[in-house]
Structures are given as C-alpha cells and as structure tokens.
C-alpha cells in the first residue's frame, strides 16, 4: 500500500540535483542504520514493550482473589476443563438442577490445554497459571498488532499501534490478571488470523506446481485454524465473522464497479474458498460445543451464499444480457441486487432480522439495568482511549482522536484512488471496514470498548505511521530523511512513555486492595465451614460467582452473572417489596441462605425497577437511596419552631431544603412524621448526624429490613413474619446472612383466661421477644408464616427435649391448609413438660435433594432445567444428591417466570413498570423410589404431556392480553417427599 512508489521523471531530476550536495558523515551513518532500525530494531523494541505490558498486567496477580467477578466462574470451568477435557456440567449454578455448559467452551479448553501441556510441567498450579493467562494473551496480542499494522500499512504503523495497545486502558481492562473473560483470547487469535489472511492474499500461487505454492497453502491453513480459535474463545466472536463477511462483500463490489475484473477474479478464487472452509468447518465444532453459536453460523453461511450469488452476477452477468459498459450500470446492478437481497432476507427472517444483536444492547428491562450494555458517551470514550490518566480518569481521549484522523486519511486515499480510477488494494478496504464496524459497536454499548480497541489503536498507529512515511517519501537524501524521521519519533516517544507510566500507576492502585471486601470474604468462608455442601445461597446476582467459587464458599448460588436470569426479576421483587407483595417461592430454588449487603443501596434503582416497585421514569430520575450528612455535603436539621426535620443542601450558591415525609431515628427507634413533606423520601438518621434518604416506595422493603437489620415501624407484623422466615446467622460489617425457612412460627399467644373465641391472649413468643413456655397444659395460638407457598395437608408436631434427648412428641394438628397470602392462626392445646428445649415441626410434601451431575435423555446430554420437550418421551438418566435417606417421588416440575406490564410494553416510556411472577404450574410424576444419603444414579422412562405449558399460557394470555411477557419456562427434575420443616425452636 504505502510502501509502493510511482516513479516520475520530475522526481528523478530532483534526486539528481540533491545528490550533488555533500552529505555529512553523521547523516550517512544514520542512513545506513535507519533501514536496520525499521527491520530489526522496531521488532525488538516491540518485544520489550510487550514484556513491559505483561509486567503491568501482572501487578494484580499478587491479590488473593480475582478482581472481575465473572473470572471466579471462568476459573471453576477452567479447572473442569483441566480434569475432563471438554467440560459439560456445573452443579453450583442454577440450583437445584445445575447447568449444562454451553457457549464457546474453547474459552476454557484452550488455556486448559496450554496449562496441561506446558505450564503444569513447569511447576505452576492451576491458580498461578490462570492468573497469568490473560496478561500473557495481552502481551502476545501486542506483538500481533505490530505484525498486523506492519503488514497492512507500514513498520511504523505497526510499531506505534503496538506501543499504544500495550498501555491502553481499553485493552488493559480485559487483559490484567484477575480478568479472564473471552474477549482477550478472541482479540489475540483474531489479530493473528488477520495477519495470516494478509500474507495469504499477498502470496501468489501456481496451483499446477504445489511445491511453489506451499507458502500460500500454509498461510491459508493458518488463517482457517486461527479463525476457528477466535470463534472458540468467546461467545461474542460473531463480531470477527461479521467483519470478515463485510470485507468479503464490500471489496468485490468496489473492484466490480470500477471495472477491475481480473483483480476481482483473483480475490474470489483466493478468499471465497478459505472463508467457506472457515464457516463449514466451524459447524461441527458447535456440537461439542467448542463454538457456541450454531444459529449465527447458519446465518453467516446464508450471508456467504448471498454474497457469492451477487459475485456470480458481477462475474457472469454480461453473459445473460446485463449491461456492464460503465460504472453507473455496474453500480446500478449491485444496488438492484442488494435491494432485492435485503427484501428477500426480510421475507426469510421477518422481524427477527433485527434481533441478532438483541443481547448486545438494552433490549429488555433486565438489559436496561446492566451497566455494560449502556450506550457510551464522549466522557466514557475519553476515559478508555486516553494517553494521560489522573487518579484513574482519562484526560484527553487522544487515541480515539488519532484513530479518527487516521481513518479520515485512509478514506481520503481510497476516495482519491477511486476518483482517479485506480481502485485501492484490499488492505485499505479491510482497515476501513474493520474500523467502521468496531466504531459502530463501540458506540452501541460500553461493553464493546475492548473489542473496538484493536481497530481504534491500529488506526491511531496508522496516523503516526502516515506522518513518518510521508517524511520517508521526501525528495531528500536517505540520511536527511532518516534524521527527520528520528526527530519526529523522538517527539512522539513521550506519548507511550506517559501512557506506560499512568497505566502502571493505575495497575498498582488496582493491586492495592482485594476486590472482594473483607466482610464478604469472612461471610463466604464462614458459609463454607458452617453449612452443608449441598446448601445454596443467594444475594443480588452480582455476587453469585463469589458464592459458587471454590476459593470462597464453594456453594450453589440461585443466580449469578451468567445464569438464571429469570430469577433476577423474582429476587428483585423480594428485595424491593415487603409483606405479601414481596413473597416468592424460594424453596423452589432449594434456597438455604440469603445474604443482604448494605452497599447495594447504590444498585437499588436497578433492583427496584426489575422488581416492579418503581416505573422506568423513577428508575432513571429518582435515586432510591441518598446518603446525607456533612461528609456528603449536606446537613440534617430539626427546626424547633416549625417542628420539621429537613435535609439542607448548598449547591450553586443556593440553599435547598428537602423535607422527607417520615424520619426514623436508628439510635432510639423513634418515628416522626413531617406534616408537609416536599420530597417522597423517608429519612433514616444515625448517631453522628448523618443518615440515608430512602425513596418512599422501597423505604420499608425487605432489603432495608434485612440489610440494615431493622423493623418496619409501620407494620411490625410484617417484620415479625420476615424475621421468622429469615433467621440471622452471621452479621459481618454490613453483610448480613440469614438462614431461610419456608415455614416458620412468627408469634405464639397464650390463652390467659376465657375461651379461645373470646378470651384474653398474651404473647409469649416473637422473633424479637422470646419467653419461656409455661409448663403444664395450656392453650396456645400459633401464628405460622408460609413464605411464598401454601401449607397443604400438613401435620404440626410438638417436640420436647431434655439435654438433647427427645422426651415428648405430640401431634398438634393434622390436615392443615394455610393460604400464604392470607394466613390464619392455629389454636392448639399443649401439655408442656419440664424440658430444656422445645420445637415445632411441620410435616408436608416438599422438594429434597439437588442434581449433582449431567442429565441425559436417550443417551444425549440435555439442559437439566428443561431436559425434555412437552409431548415427548424418552429414557432419562441423572445423578442426584441427598442429605439423608428418603422415599421420594421423582417428578418434573413445570414452572414459568413472566412479568406483566400494566402500562404497556414500551420499556422506554416513563410510566412503564412490570410485575414479576414465578408460578409452579404442575408436577409430572415419573417414578417412586428410595434414595440414600450422597449421590444416587437414577434412571426412568419419562413422558411429558403436550399441554403441560400451553393451557396455562393461554390462561395468562386471556388474563393479561398483550401485556404479559413470558421470560422463561422450566421443567425441572425434582424429588418430593414428606418433609420435616422445623418451624419454631425455644426454651
């Protein structure tokens, strides 16, 4: 491209005249050194830069735990890949079934093979290697970008791109130790695939004599293999396939329109076959699945065939009478075929044509709340593509600005060549296509900044390469040009030096503290040491991978960063509501522990929105919590004259007074109501004259009560119920852990005199006030809280123990039925013996056990939470684990998670809000069997009615019309038995 020179007579005369001047010896020496500097020096310096980039990325390896939450999960699956080759099942996500591993499992298999073949023999542990894997990938990518820039533009473009990439925050953000997502290996393999592609296209071949074509064959094979590797490395690697297909479509069109038919034929013969091999060869890999997107590959093949059809028309259209006499006619042909092709695609795919990227942007309420899917603004772009950083914040956005200028120069050259009728080479077209595609995605969602970093920084390198190459083209002696180039290089050198310094400072600061707070570490390690290995826990989904990690609690998590998305809505409903509105059937998840973290006040807009407590407008415009006090730039004031509490804030030279409707003193527990509030908030005041303003809709939510260990003063009964079902077991600096009980006694009343219907009752127990049961025969009123599910045909039993020995067991009630949304007390007579402890046990049918291995139907591994479709049958095999021996009914539980949108389905309307629901539709009984404690291999023939979901779906449609969105259906293997629930313990 820029290395080619067009010789002209005028230039030869200038050279002749300048050659008569005597050149200083120093410039002659520089002239002799300069070519070697470009050939060897830049390569060596790039290797040094890559090594230093690796050292910067390894600074965080000293931390005990990973920084990125997702990396905890990736480490667990990497360990499975080391053990099993291609992992297939993970038990600790999505209890009680676990998950069938999917997606692009090459993300784990590739590093596992590297570890097993090399690093394990060098004495590295799995954890040590995993911490260095992404920094190694980042360093190799730096070298790859140098080679790619060198091949597509010039030595200098490659060098500057490598130098910028080494110290770019956009690239560092996914390649430092402790962040092992798939983007980093994808970019590495993609860059090297492009290098191989460029060498392949540049090599000429004589196919009649393969001995003279081995280089082209080798580069073509490397391109295919590296393409498969980048596809294996990350679920989002569709981006790479899209770039290649776009290049494949655009470059031939340019060649055709400008009449370069020989070049078109050569490109088609060279590129189309290897691209077809890439796509067809990837299809079998989706069945393993090393590559995780079969449907997209089918779509890509359809696009490939469409491009091939267009190319065939371009090559052979004249034979069927098409007019290719000039550019206008050729362009008209392409335009007409393109319009027809798009219309055909729309008819073929329908509205789904626009849904291929739905998971990449904020296309539903859940994705609206994911920060990585938010649209970037200039402040964000500046932050990730700057040279200079101050306290971790980018100051200039210079790399992105450089890339824009480089892109404009590239376009101007393409335009000039097109104007002159000299169609550009494939390198310029590819650079333009790559940068345009990367820029489009960059401005779509913030998550794409890393993927875009390859193209952005490559074009920034092109800019500086253009400047230096322009000097090399000057009509001067080589020594003079070398001198100017060196001076210019010295002027540019401070840019990567500053970037290296600031990135090193940022990495050092990132390595100063663990990303997992000490309170969470202590909580999860306590859970690991004090709970059953089959137990599960939940918190907000961000911390699910911490719960699952073998480095921390090593327990099952109800939802996490990549699984059980449907449960996020249900969990949000629980956290953002209270009372009946916040009740959900957690037992269906096999939940044992719930963790509430005070710091989630800063995520509570998202939680409240997903839970249906607020509208979209409130989510965007009203903070759910606001810390107040001198340290936050505000003051809590009580005006003795007006008897009003308010928060005073000074801003922009003005003083504002915010009067909340309710004030709660956290020190004394007292409650005060302001008469004329002007903001819909409740003020929680703490000792020290600071507090928290809580939005009134969520101010007394389950989250507030559990995270802050506080009661709802407006409804003490609701708080009593909540605390009976969620028993505190560990409070650790704002991280509060509760043991979940589906059924629990929240109050016991003693009949003091009279009859049960009109007598006097005295409370003898609540979660906040426990008294000894009086010895003797007494009448009690038992208030039972059924959380999220009804009591059905149950038996209530009273037990008394003396020093741990059972001395009495008495049935208090049988055939109990209690509606969990309308609970009524049970009146019983108990002869209380003299004992050291007592408890009540509720016996009714309930789920036990968890799956502990993959599920197979007819010998094929299937999704454990939906193993067989309605209307189908087959032989099922699975492994289930139990705490003790049971006689159980093996069944499939049909469940549906959906949300209702009373104000319509436009998620961007201000009044949009949703109401999440989780309904158990029915149980499909399969088999009666006995199981033992521990793992049990279970097999049975399974047959599912065809209408197991459809009838219920139709009822939902009739009830809610178009305002119901079914998010997920489950058909989970479960085991039902007569289960004993301890609902009360006392003395």
């Amino acid at each position: 491209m820029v290395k080619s020179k067009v010789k002209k007579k005028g230039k030869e005369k200038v050279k002749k005249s300048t050659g008569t001047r005597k050149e200083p010896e120093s410039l002659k020496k520089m002239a002799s050194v300069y070519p070697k500097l470009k050939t060897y020096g830049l390569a060596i310096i790039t290797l040094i830069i890559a090594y230093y980039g690796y050292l910067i990325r390894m600074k965080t390896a000293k931390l005990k735990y990973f920084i990125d939450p997702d990396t905890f999960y990736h480490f667990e699956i990497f360990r499975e890949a080391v053990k099993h080759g291609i992992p297939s099942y993970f038990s600790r996500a999505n209890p009680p079934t676990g998950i069938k591993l999917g997606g692009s499992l090459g993300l784990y298999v590739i590093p596992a093979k590297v570890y097993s073949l090399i690093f394990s023999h060098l004495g590295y542990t799995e954890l040590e290697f995993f911490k260095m894997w992404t920094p190694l990938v980042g360093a190799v990518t730096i070298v790859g970008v140098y080679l790619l820039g060198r091949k597509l533009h010039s030595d200098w473009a490659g060098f500057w791109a490598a130098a910028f990439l080494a110290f770019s925050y956009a690239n560092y953000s996914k390649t430092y130790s402790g962040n092992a997502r798939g983007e980093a290996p994808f970019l590495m393999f993609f860059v090297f695939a492009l290098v191989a592609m460029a060498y392949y296209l540049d090599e000429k071949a004589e196919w009649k004599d393969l001995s003279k074509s081995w280089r082209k064959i080798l580069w073509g094979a490397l391109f295919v293999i590296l393409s498969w590797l980048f596809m294996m490395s990350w679920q989002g690697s569709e981006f790479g396939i899209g770039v290649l297909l776009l290049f494949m479509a655009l470059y031939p069109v340019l060649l055709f329109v400008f009449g370069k038919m020989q070049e078109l034929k050569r490109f088609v013969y060279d590129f189309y076959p290897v691209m077809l091999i890439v796509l067809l060869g990837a299809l079998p890999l989706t069945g393993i699945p090393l590559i995780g997107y079969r449907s997209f590959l089918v779509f890509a093949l359809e696009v490939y065939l469409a491009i091939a059809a267009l190319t065939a028309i371009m090559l052979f259209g004249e034979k069927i009478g098409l007019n290719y006499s000039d550019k206008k006619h050729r362009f008209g042909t392409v335009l007409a075929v393109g319009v027809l092709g798009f219309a055909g695609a729309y008819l073929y795919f329908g509205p789904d044509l626009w849904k291929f990227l739905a998971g990449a942007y904020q296309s539903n309420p859940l994705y609206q709340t994911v920060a990585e899917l938010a649209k970037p603004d200039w402040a964000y772009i500046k932050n990730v593509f700057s040279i200079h950083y101050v306290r971790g914040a980018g100051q200039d956005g210079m790399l992105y600005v450089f890339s824009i200028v480089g892109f404009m120069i590239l376009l101007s050259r393409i335009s000039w060549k097109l104007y002159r009728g000299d169609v550009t080479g494939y390198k310029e077209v590819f650079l333009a296509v790559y940068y345009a595609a990367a820029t489009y995605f960059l401005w779509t969602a913030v998550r794409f900044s890393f993927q875009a970093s390859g193209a952005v920084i490559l074009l920034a390198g092109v800019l500086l390469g253009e400047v230096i190459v322009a000097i090399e083209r000057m009509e001067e002696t080589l020594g003079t040009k070398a001198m100017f180039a060196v001076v210019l290089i010295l002027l540019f050198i401070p840019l990567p030096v500053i970037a290296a310094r600031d990135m090193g400072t940022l990495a050092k600061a990132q390595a100063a503290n663990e990303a997992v707070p000490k309170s969470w570490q202590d909580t999860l390690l306590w859970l690991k040491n004090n709970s059953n290995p089959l137990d599960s826990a939940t918190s907000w989904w961000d911390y699910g991978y911490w719960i699952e990690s073998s480095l921390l609690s090593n327990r099952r998590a109800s939802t996490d960063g990549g699984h059980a998305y449907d449960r996020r809505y249900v969990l949000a409903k629980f956290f953002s509501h209270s009372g009946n509105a916040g009740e959900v059937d957690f037992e269906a998840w096999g939940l044992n522990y719930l963790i509430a973290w005070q710091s989630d006040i800063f995520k509570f807009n998202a939680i409240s929105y997903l839970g249906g407590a607020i509208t979209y407008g409130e989510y965007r415009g009203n903070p759910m919590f606001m810390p107040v006090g001198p340290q936050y730039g505000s003051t809590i004031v009580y005006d003795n004259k007006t008897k009003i509490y308010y928060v005073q804030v000074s801003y922009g030279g003005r003083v504002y007074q915010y009067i909340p409707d309710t004030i709660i003193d956290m020190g004394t527990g007292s409650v005060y109501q302001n008469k004329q509030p002007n903001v819909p908030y409740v003020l929680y005041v703490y000792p020290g004259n600071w507090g928290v303003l809580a939005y009134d809709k969520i101010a007394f939510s389950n989250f507030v009560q559990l995270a802050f260990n506080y009661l709802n003063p407006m409804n003490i009964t609701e708080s009593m119920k909540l605390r009976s079902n969620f028993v505190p077991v560990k409070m650790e600096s704002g991280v509060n852990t509760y043991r979940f009980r589906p059924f629990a006694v929240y109050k016991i009343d003693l009949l003091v005199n009279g009859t049960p219907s009109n007598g006097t009752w005295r409370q003898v127990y609540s979660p906040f006030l426990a008294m000894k049961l009086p010895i003797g025969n007494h009448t009690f009123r038992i208030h039972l809280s059924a959380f999220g599910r009804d009591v059905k045909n149950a038996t209530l039993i009273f037990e008394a123990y003396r020093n741990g020995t059972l001395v009495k067991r008495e049935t208090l009630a049988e055939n109990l039925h209690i509606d969990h949304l309308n609970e009524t007390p049970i009146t019983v007579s108990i002869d209380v013996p003299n004992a050291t402890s007592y408890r009540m046990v509720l016996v009714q049918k309930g789920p036990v056990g968890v799956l502990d291995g993959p599920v197979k139907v007819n010998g094929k591994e299937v999704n454990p939470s939906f193993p067989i479709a309605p209307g189908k049958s087959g032989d099922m095999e699975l492994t289930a684990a139990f705490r003790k021996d049971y006689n159980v009914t093996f069944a499939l539980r049909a469940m549906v998670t959906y949300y209702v949108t009373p104000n319509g389905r436009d998620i961007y309307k201000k009044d949009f809000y949703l109401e999440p629901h989780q309904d158990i539709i029915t149980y499909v009984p399969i088999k009666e069997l006995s199981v033992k404690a521990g793992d049990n291999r279970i097999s049975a023939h399974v047959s599912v009615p065809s209408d197991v979901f459809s009838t219920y779906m139709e009822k939902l449609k009739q009830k809610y019309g178009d305002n119901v969105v079914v998010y997920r259906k489950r058909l989970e293997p479960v085991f039902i038995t007569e289960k004993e629930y301890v609902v009360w313990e006392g003395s």
Side-chain angles (χ1 to χ4, degrees), residues 362 368 374 605 609 614-623 908:
Q362 296 180 328
Q368 281 179 308
N605 272 56
Y609 175 56
I614 59 174
T615 64
Y616 176 71
E618 291 171 308
Y619 162 67
R620 297 288 296 177
N622 299 71
Y908 288 99

Side-chain angles (χ1 to χ4, degrees), residues 306-307 337 724 772 796 820:
I307 296 171
V337 172
S724 67
K772 287 183 177 293
L796 183 63
H820 75 280

Side-chain angles (χ1 to χ4, degrees), residues 711 716-728 741 744-748 763-770 783 785 984:
L711 312 181
I716 294 296
T717 298
E718 280 189 357
S719 294
M720 291 166 61
K721 290 182 179 182
L722 183 68
R723 283 302 186 83
S724 67
N725 294 114
F726 295 88
V727 180
R741 302 190 298 180
V745 172
Y746 69 89
K747 189 170 69 166
I748 300 176
Q763 181 177 311
V764 294
Y765 170 81
S766 82
F768 314 116
L769 178 64
H783 298 259
S785 174
W984 175 81

Side-chain angles (χ1 to χ4, degrees), residues 823-840:
E823 296 144 341
T824 55
I826 310 160
T827 302
V828 297
S829 178
I830 307 176
D831 187 3
V832 181
N834 187 8
T836 55
S837 62
Y838 310 94
R839 71 176 194 170
M840 294 184 195

Side-chain angles (χ1 to χ4, degrees), residues 72 192 203 323 373 379 407 453 615 673 677 685 724 948:
F72 285 88
F192 278 96
E203 285 286 343
N323 185 352
L373 299 180
F407 183 59
S453 68
T615 64
Q673 297 283 152
V685 180
S724 67
V948 67

Side-chain angles (χ1 to χ4, degrees), residues 491-567:
L491 291 175
F492 288 154
I493 281 293
L495 296 178
V497 170
I498 292 170
R501 179 201 65 191
D502 292 353
M503 202 50 54
T505 302
L506 188 149
K508 183 179 179 181
Q510 199 170 23
N513 297 293
E514 294 285 351
V516 182
K518 182 66 164 51
S519 54
W520 268 98
Q521 294 177 38
D522 293 342
T523 294
L524 295 178
L525 292 175
W526 176 90
L527 193 64
K528 185 176 188 177
N529 296 322
N530 293 275
S531 64
N532 190 289
L534 300 182
D535 279 348
S536 74
T538 197
S539 186
W540 188 232
W541 64 265
D542 291 293
Y543 321 115
Y545 288 145
W546 291 354
I547 295 170
E548 296 164 6
S549 172
S550 60
L551 302 175
L552 291 163
S553 65
N554 200 33
R555 293 296 179 264
R556 289 163 169 80
S558 302
T559 181
D560 57 37
H563 311 102
Y565 283 10
D566 55 329
R567 291 178 177 174

Side-chain angles (χ1 to χ4, degrees), residues 138-150:
V140 175
T141 306
I142 293 166
V143 176
V145 165
Y146 164 72
L147 296 174
L148 183 60
R150 184 173 180 268

Side-chain angles (χ1 to χ4, degrees), residues 94 98 147 196 236 297 427 481 485 505 517 522 524 579 623 663 725 767 787 854 949:
N94 193 40
L147 296 174
L297 280 174
K427 297 176 182 179
K481 291 190 289 185
T505 302
D522 293 342
L524 295 178
I663 297 86
N725 294 114
F787 197 88
F949 287 106

